[in-house]
Every structure is written in C-alpha cells, then in structure tokens.
Amino acid sequence: MSGTTKQRNVIETLDALFQERRRQVPFLAQRADAEGIERIASREDMIPLLFPHTAYKSYPESLIAKGKWRQLTRWLDSLSTHRVTDVDLSGVADVDGLIDRLEAAGHLVSSSSGTSGKSSFLNKSPRDREVSLQNMLDGLTDLGLPPERTWHFIPVGPETGLSGHKAIRDLLVGSYGRPDGIPPFPAAPPAAGHHAYMARLSAVRKAMADGTATPDELAAHEAEAAKRQAENERRLHYWAEQILEHRSERIFFSSQFASLFRLTEILRELGAKDGDITGENALTVGGGLKGHSLPADYQAQIYRMLNIAPSRFFHYYSMQELNLRLPRCSAERYHVPSGLVLFVLDKNGEAPAPESDGQVEGRAAFFDTTVDGRWGGTITGDKISVDLGACACGRSGPSIAPDITRYTDLVDDDKITCAGTTDAYVRGFIED
C-alpha cells in the first residue's frame, strides 16, 4: 500500500469516527460547531478537535468536596459516548461510591491523579477494557512471551483498589501465573478508598499552597502518608524475601520503575548481589518515573539484580487516554501501532510541529481509533522526538525516542492554548 493510499485511509477512518461521535459526545459537537468543522478532510482538520488531557479534570473540585454527584456525572456525560445521566446515585456517600455505582451501570471510569493530586476521570466502556487487555497480551506475545502459566507472578507496586488495575493484574495472573506460584502479599485493607484519599490529598495540597492548611490537617495528612509508605515497605520486603526463596525459578514482574528500584535496594540490604538471582525472569513496565528521581543507571541496576534480559522485557509508552500501547523495540524506540494515529504538535498544541530531515519534535497527540466510551483524540502533556523514517530495528513508520519529557518538568509550564476554553466549555454542561 502506498503512503498516499494509507494516509487517505487514515483520513477516511478519522472522518467516519468524527461523524459518529459528534452525535454522541456533547462536548465534541459543541467544539466542532465552534470551529465550524463539518468533516475531516486532512490531518490538520483534526487538530482543533483533539481534547487536551486536562479536559478530563476540568470539573470544579467543589463538586467532590460537597458531594454534588449529579452535577459531576453531568460533567462526565458531556465527555462520554454512552449516557451517564440516568445512573441511580441514591445513597452515594463519596467519590469511591460514585465510581462503584457508575461501574455497576457499565461505565468503567478510569482515574489518575498525575502529580497534581486532582483526579482525572475518563469514561471507558467494557469494550475499551477488552481491547486494552487483549493489546497487553498481543504485545507480550509479539515479544516472544505468549500466555503460559509457568511463572511466579509478582505485582510489585501497591494495591490501589482501582478496577482497571485489578483487571490487568488478574489478566497477567490468569495468563502467566503458575497455580503453585508465590502467594499474594497479605495486604491490610485500606482505611479509605483510593479516590477519597486522592481527594483529601488534593485538598491538602491546595490548602498548603494558599496558606490555609491547619496544623491538624497537616498532621493527619503526614500520618496517613507515613502509614501508606510503611505498608508499601512491608510489601516490598515481602516480595524481596520471596524472590530470594525462589531465586532460580522464573518470575514475571509487573511494576513501575520507582517501585522496582526500591525493590532492588531492599534485595541488596538483604545481602543479594548481581548474579544471585538466576531465574530467566520477565518484566512489563509502562511509563517513566512519575516524578521520582532515580540514579542515571537505575534501569541497568534493576536488570542486573532481577536478571531481566531485553527479550523478556515488555516496555511500552501509553496513557490512560489510550487503549493501545506503543511497544519499545530493540533500538529503544517506541513504535506507533495500527489503530493509533500520532500527531506531533507545537508546544501550544495548535498546529503541526515543523519537520526537518525526517525528524520532528513537539507535543505528542494521539487519536486512538479503538476508543469506544468517549472521543479518541487527545493532546498530551508530553514532549517527544520522532523519527519519520525506518528504525534501526527494521520497522518502518514513525518511532518515538525514549527521552520523553513532561512539559510540566520543563521551565515553561504545560500550557495548551485550547485548554482554558475547553475547561470553560465543559464546565458549562454542569450549570444548573
């Protein structure tokens, strides 16, 4: 297939989804009307319709603090394909109860706090979850790790209680975990739900920033944070002891890098050295450091201690706005899979970033054609560098360099030009 034909097919797919979703997603319809867009005839036509990542946390925080669940679901409905406003909210006491009620109605709301403490909420359908889980298995299989229940499975990080996290863990346990595998960590039940904790964290951070936090509020926050940290240390020590007990057997790890690095530190504290763990172990990791500061060689330290070879390491770039993952290749670049359309925009997210000699650098944006529960287009907070030519691994098509940076970590803030307008539009849907 020629490049021109492929691009034509991409545009036709984007337009077909636009025509369908504009009748379903209220905010998309409003945005298209405001921009005067009736059809997608080029990639540039799509750019004004990509939602900034901040759109999914554009609700007033007072809605959660005051328990205004009907208004919060009206806000969520404006960003959703399937209607949310008819969900029974009677008896909902907190945001965790709201998420449970929405899930019971088929709205698998995904949430993330990022580094701000304020949670974003994205409506996902059962179809979205099925696609994401299958994409995980496909990525592992392509790497040479097809489902095979011959591994001890260790989910290194803390248990959040979020159904999306549980679905991934259950998938990996059911697909790779051996029946006589290492027992799960005997975690103590959390004192409060994940979303309630994140709401309190956001409120405390806001109060600290504006100088209104009371000594009692700060003390309560510090005590809860210390309790959670102590529980995480208990978890990591449990896994370290289990690893040493099964050091010659195959272990499949699932984690973020920060937790993995702390695990390797604990193993060293227990006397383990590089080479002591000999099982041909595997690892899947998504994302980067999430604001943590680690040594420059943190990945090499993890691989040596846990005996992770590149052929058994599924590293990918993705985010909660996407169902699909961009797998990292042997040349350490992330590749755009079929079903995902990559846009590289200028810093403000208004126009395509300039290309030079097959290279382009700018703000990452994506359209995931598999997304069902909402509009599939999003402008991220990530700065990326893209090579539009063939990769050293042999694959063709655009590939993303590994040095992905959050704009919030740069000197200039993460300011997307359309974000303020978007917030105002979306908030308009919740007005009485």
Side-chain angles (χ1 to χ4, degrees):
M1 182 185 298
S2 70
T4 301
T5 301
K6 186 179 295 186
Q7 283 299 317
R8 187 184 306 120
N9 290 344
V10 168
I11 299 305
E12 290 174 356
T13 298
L14 293 177
D15 184 57
L17 285 167
F18 169 63
Q19 301 302 333
E20 179 181 12
R21 292 288 184 261
R22 74 179 303 179
R23 298 191 298 270
Q24 299 169 325
V25 181
F27 175 61
L28 175 64
Q30 187 181 69
R31 186 75 172 267
D33 290 345
E35 297 290 339
I37 298 175
E38 297 293 330
R39 61 185 292 266
I40 305 300
S42 68
R43 289 170 59 92
E44 287 71 21
D45 289 340
M46 180 58 72
I47 294 174
L49 301 178
L50 300 173
F51 292 1
H53 63 98
T54 54
Y56 297 103
K57 57 173 65 179
S58 60
Y59 59 90
E61 291 182 87
S62 61
L63 298 187
I64 292 179
K66 298 178 180 179
K68 295 186 175 182
W69 312 125
R70 182 58 63 193
Q71 286 179 284
L72 189 61
T73 55
R74 197 182 307 159
W75 165 84
L76 182 65
D77 184 82
S78 73
L79 293 162
S80 301
T81 299
H82 309 291
R83 301 283 60 83
V84 181
T85 50
D86 58 353
V87 174
D88 178 19
L89 302 179
S90 57
V92 171
D94 57 25
V95 67
D96 293 284
L98 174 66
I99 298 299
D100 290 344
R101 192 66 58 83
L102 289 169
E103 291 210 355
H107 302 286
L108 308 182
V109 176
S110 173
S111 65
S112 172
S113 63
T115 56
S116 70
K118 183 179 182 182
S119 293
S120 55
F121 297 109
L122 292 86
N123 201 353
K124 297 188 177 185
S125 70
R127 174 60 180 161
D128 287 320
R129 182 163 293 176
E130 291 169 7
V131 170
S132 180
L133 294 179
Q134 186 60 52
N135 179 251
M136 171 65 85
L137 288 182
D138 290 344
L140 288 165
T141 299
D142 289 345
L143 183 65
L145 295 172
E148 185 180 38
R149 301 201 64 185
T150 59
W151 305 78
H152 293 290
F153 180 74
I154 294 183
V156 178
E159 176 63 63
T160 65
L162 300 178
S163 70
H165 294 174
K166 183 177 183 297
I168 287 288
R169 184 195 65 201
D170 290 350
L171 172 79
L172 295 174
V173 170
S175 300
Y176 295 92
R178 49 193 275 184
D180 62 343
I182 294 172
F185 171 67
H194 176 79
H195 296 100
Y197 171 70
M198 296 311 300
R200 292 195 303 277
L201 177 61
S202 178
V204 168
R205 285 176 172 173
K206 186 174 185 298
M208 290 173 65
D210 59 26
T212 60
T214 67
D216 287 347
E217 288 174 335
L218 293 176
H221 166 66
E222 291 172 358
E224 184 168 13
K227 181 179 179 180
R228 287 174 177 262
Q229 178 62 27
E231 177 74 355
N232 192 49
E233 283 288 297
R234 276 207 319 121
R235 174 189 301 273
L236 293 175
H237 275 84
Y238 172 80
W239 292 135
E241 291 164 1
Q242 292 293 328
I243 291 166
L244 293 177
E245 186 175 333
H246 300 86
R247 66 180 67 198
S248 63
E249 302 171 36
R250 297 203 308 173
I251 302 174
F252 193 126
F253 298 94
S254 175
S255 181
Q256 297 291 335
F257 278 124
S259 293
L260 277 171
F261 186 75
R262 178 59 188 141
L263 178 61
T264 63
E265 289 182 324
I266 292 172
L267 284 165
R268 290 193 178 91
E269 291 167 6
L270 295 176
K273 301 184 296 295
D274 293 349
D276 286 354
I277 297 167
T278 58
E280 294 183 344
N281 300 326
L283 167 66
T284 178
V285 172
L289 297 180
K290 305 295 185 184
H292 295 276
S293 178
L294 299 181
D297 66 339
Y298 71 93
Q299 291 190 32
Q301 290 192 46
I302 291 169
Y303 305 152
R304 290 195 305 269
M305 174 59 74
L306 299 180
N307 195 31
I308 307 292
S311 61
R312 302 188 302 273
F313 176 32
F314 182 45
H315 190 186
Y316 57 86
Y317 170 48
S318 193
M319 56 204 66
Q320 68 164 349
E321 290 86 353
L322 305 179
N323 290 338
L324 303 179
R325 297 164 180 81
L326 290 81
R328 186 164 171 169
C329 71
S330 58
E332 300 187 345
R333 301 187 67 86
Y334 299 103
H335 287 266
V336 182
S338 174
L340 195 63
V341 182
L342 169 67
F343 298 81
V344 186
L345 307 180
D346 61 11
K347 178 180 178 297
N348 294 328
E350 296 180 296
E355 175 189 339
S356 177
D357 297 326
Q359 307 287 322
V360 59
E361 180 179 273
R363 185 181 291 271
F366 297 97
F367 194 97
D368 188 333
T369 62
T370 72
V371 169
D372 174 64
R374 60 195 184 285
W375 181 230
T378 185
I379 302 175
T380 78
D382 294 343
K383 183 178 181 180
I384 61 172
S385 298
V386 176
D387 190 324
L388 303 176
C391 180
C393 75
R395 300 187 205 183
S396 60
S399 61
I400 300 175
D403 52 340
I404 297 169
T405 307
R406 299 287 293 179
Y407 275 98
T408 51
D409 294 334
L410 302 176
V411 175
D412 295 329
D413 288 336
D414 181 13
K415 296 176 181 178
I416 304 173
T417 297
C418 64
T421 303
T422 295
D423 289 359
Y425 280 164
V426 177
R427 288 191 183 206
F429 285 100
I430 63 175
E431 294 177 355
D432 291 328

